[in-house]
Amino acid sequence: MHTIEKIGGTSMSDYVSVRDNIIFKPSNPDTLYQRVFVVSAYGGMTDKLLEHKKSGQPGVYGLFASSMEDKSWLQALEQLKCEMYDLNLQLFGKGDQVIRANNFIDERLQEAQKCLSDLHSLCMHGHFALDAHLETVREMLASIGEAHSAWNMVELLKRDGVNACYVDLTGWDTNRHVSLDDRIRSAFQNINLDVQLPVVTGYAHSADGLMSSFNRGYSEMTFSRLAVLTNAREAVIHKEFHLSSADPRIVGEDNAVPIGRTNYDVADQLANLGMEAIHPKAAKGLRQHNVPLRVKNTFEPEHTGTLITGDYVSSTPRVEIIAGCKGVYALELFDQDMAGSIEDYDREILALIKRFRAHIVAKDTNANTITHYLTTNLKTVKRIRTALAERFPEAELDQKKVAIASAIGSDMEVPGILAKAVAAVAEGNISVLAIHQSMRQVDMQFVIEETDYDSAVKSLHKALVEVHDHGRAICLAGYPVPRLN
């Protein structure tokens, strides 16, 4: 009857709220235990260890990956250590505990620095290529963030009277490369959930490497496999927001309504737009093993959150959420020779996009044109465009920064809903650059000018969501809501 619960990075940065709103307010009031917590690194730490998730600004990893000419990564690592020390001081105050916390993270950072320095020296010789080792470097650095937050949380909970135990899945001191499932089974074989509260590192080392498949979504995969392997009653994610019908900062706090219930199909659509409730591949395991997922707001502990299951369908076909993303790059390739052989072009374009790790939100095709809508930074788009120009010298390439507004629901099979949505956007004097609707009837996407994004969300929400009687909204969900002191 236990739960597996994941705490996001922003929540982790507020220990008092985590302790009071999550640890001391369990869903089962009879016990503090029968729960396992998988924790992310503190907010912003993984950005500094790897690279900024949105801007792409390099962290320690990004600087090391291009470090053959300099060692700027050393300065970044030293600055990171100072920031971790400052955070430890805020959490523990002065005394023996902060010294122990600093010693723990200092040991990890020193070992990482030695490994990177040795590898840097080795790759100065022609027989060794740095690129061959970068995936391993990335995983090693990422693991430090979760080790830091998990170890600290255990010590803080012990101080506050909870029998917490630290579960390190990072493989830091092991010489065995085992599967993720085997690492989890080994770590939990002697843990008694009746009397212990395990705090688990979100990063887990595995023989296959989680980051090569899930990149920054690795902690969600650890969370998902734990729930499946231990036959959890429920999987719970604690974030700094709920899930809502739209961003209340755009549509107004009185108009945004809580979701409450939805399904994994909707969660996948949100993840595709960058509003991750959970990584789609992590959700797959939960869905296949009938483990329900609940998304809760750390700062509103009394609210039951949003329950996501595989079999839920809204009682009345309708739109549940208006979501989207700005900063999308439309990359268009036109070639007269494409007609009749679009599959060959598509295959090679997709391979290049995958090589540069850009995420595809949507794409358009016709007889001689393929347009991909990518969420990535401008530097990556330029690299992809250069590679495409070399591969298809006769093609015409164009790029444009756009936004995507999407209407999403577990069942949107409503006659005339597309016409109604288009009319709503048109009434807002918004030009639609492209539109997509799938036969599965779970989403519609409108590609628009970036400056029209807020207006499009308002118009779609008013026409498709606010027309329904949702009752009184008791919380704002899906987006950060300002907290009052």
Side-chain angles (χ1 to χ4, degrees), residues 39 81 105 136 165 410 455 483:
V39 300
K81 181 177 77 171
I105 197 62
T136 303
C165 61
S410 55
S455 297
R483 295 171 55 218

Side-chain angles (χ1 to χ4, degrees), residues 15-16 19 90-93 97 153-162:
Y15 169 72
V16 172
R19 180 195 63 194
Q90 293 173 32
L91 291 168
F92 293 100
Q97 281 193 307
M153 183 172 173
V154 168
E155 295 301 309
L156 290 164
L157 289 175
K158 286 180 177 178
R159 182 195 67 185
D160 293 333
V162 179

Side-chain angles (χ1 to χ4, degrees), residues 235 262-270 278-280 282-288 290-294 307-312 410:
T262 192
N263 62 27
Y264 282 112
D265 206 348
V266 169
D268 287 348
Q269 310 312 315
L270 293 174
I278 187 170
H279 193 286
K284 180 180 178 181
L286 298 177
R287 183 172 62 246
Q288 289 178 336
N290 296 316
V291 179
L293 171 67
R294 190 180 299 276
L307 184 65
I308 302 172
T309 57
D311 58 356
Y312 174 80
S410 55

Side-chain angles (χ1 to χ4, degrees), residues 37-59:
F37 287 95
V38 179
V39 300
S40 297
Y42 293 117
M45 283 299 174
T46 306
D47 287 342
K48 294 179 174 66
L49 282 160
L50 303 179
E51 67 282 316
H52 195 282
K53 191 173 184 178
K54 294 183 178 179
S55 70
Q57 181 178 351

Side-chain angles (χ1 to χ4, degrees), residues 4 27 36 57 86 131 143 183 187-188 220 230 269 287 303 320 341 370 410 466:
I4 303 294
S27 57
V36 177
Q57 181 178 351
D86 288 343
D131 289 349
S143 74
R183 189 168 297 282
F188 275 80
E220 291 165 14
T230 62
Q269 310 312 315
R287 183 172 62 246
H303 194 282
E320 297 170 8
S341 58
I370 299 179
S410 55
E466 294 173 31

Side-chain angles (χ1 to χ4, degrees), residues 217-232:
Y218 55 81
S219 63
E220 291 165 14
M221 196 59 195
T222 304
F223 162 75
S224 172
R225 292 311 298 166
L226 262 168
V228 169
L229 292 172
T230 62
N231 297 311

Side-chain angles (χ1 to χ4, degrees), residues 86-125:
D86 288 343
L87 183 54
N88 289 349
L89 183 60
Q90 293 173 32
L91 291 168
F92 293 100
K94 295 181 179 179
D96 291 341
Q97 281 193 307
V98 75
I99 293 174
R100 292 179 62 239
N102 288 345
N103 288 341
F104 172 82
I105 197 62
D106 204 30
E107 181 180 340
R108 299 264 170 147
L109 292 174
Q110 286 177 5
E111 288 185 27
Q113 179 178 329
K114 184 178 186 304
C115 287
L116 295 182
S117 295
D118 291 346
L119 180 58
H120 182 275
S121 298
L122 185 67
C123 291
M124 295 297 289
H125 298 277

